Amino acid sequence: MTRNSPDSRLSALGYSLDDIPTPGAIYKPVTVTGRIMYVSGAVPMATGRLRYAGKVPTDISVEDAIQAAALCAANNLRMVRQDLGSLEHISRVLRLTGYVNSAPTFTEAHLVINGASELLRHVFGDAGIGARSAVGMAQLPLGSTVETELILELKA
């Protein structure tokens, strides 16, 4: 791992490269076809436990939900790193989809998912920003506050 690699930038943000989430159901964390990698949804787990649960903004603040979104994106990247051995194999982020466990009147899901977008931009620079959707949901797995999934392009 070089000093200024995507792996080292993720680690420098305080996300241990070894804290890899384990699947909680029947699915593959990542699937590759050609140079496209689909990364399964990740909730804000750290050291084996859910760190952020509840609806935004009634149970959890927007600020905390932004941190939850960043943790979700970090978990997506840790799943990628486990599969590829290094984030240096990623050419760019094609798409980020973020789901926010929202109170019925909450209309700021896009601000919450900015937490994931910022993390991806920090790790990959401009290549970390791709297409994106931010969607409010009635509920998420385990009562999680946020879930993110990625579509990535691999280097040739």
Side-chain angles (χ1 to χ4, degrees):
M1 178 169 62
T2 62
R3 185 171 178 236
N4 199 25
S5 69
D7 301 85
S8 64
R9 288 191 292 271
L10 181 61
S11 181
L13 290 173
Y15 298 100
S16 166
L17 300 178
D18 298 322
D19 189 10
I20 302 161
T22 56
I26 302 169
Y27 63 90
K28 291 182 178 184
V30 299
T31 301
V32 177
T33 181
R35 290 182 45 216
I36 306 300
M37 175 177 266
Y38 296 87
V39 185
S40 292
V43 296
M45 300 286 281
T47 60
R49 68 182 259 275
L50 186 66
R51 298 296 175 162
Y52 298 92
K55 293 194 177 297
V56 183
T58 53
D59 301 324
I60 189 165
S61 71
V62 171
E63 294 76 20
D64 284 346
I66 290 168
Q67 295 303 312
L71 177 55
C72 290
N75 284 339
N76 289 131
L77 295 181
R78 291 188 270 213
M79 291 188 290
V80 168
R81 188 174 182 277
Q82 181 181 34
D83 190 74
L84 297 177
S86 171
L87 297 175
E88 292 193 50
H89 300 289
I90 302 302
S91 172
R92 64 184 171 138
V93 173
L94 296 174
R95 182 177 178 84
L96 162 65
T97 305
Y99 306 97
V100 179
N101 187 351
S102 300
T105 59
F106 184 66
T107 60
E108 307 279 313
H110 61 289
L111 298 178
V112 171
I113 301 306
N114 280 347
S117 293
E118 287 293 336
L119 179 128
L120 294 168
R121 179 169 40 189
H122 186 82
V123 172
F124 296 112
D126 288 342
I129 303 300
R132 187 182 101 163
S133 292
V135 183
M137 306 297 289
Q139 193 56 263
L140 290 172
L142 307 174
S144 172
T145 299
V146 181
E147 181 175 4
T148 60
E149 61 186 31
L150 297 173
I151 302 174
L152 306 171
E153 181 181 57
L154 300 173
K155 291 180 180 174

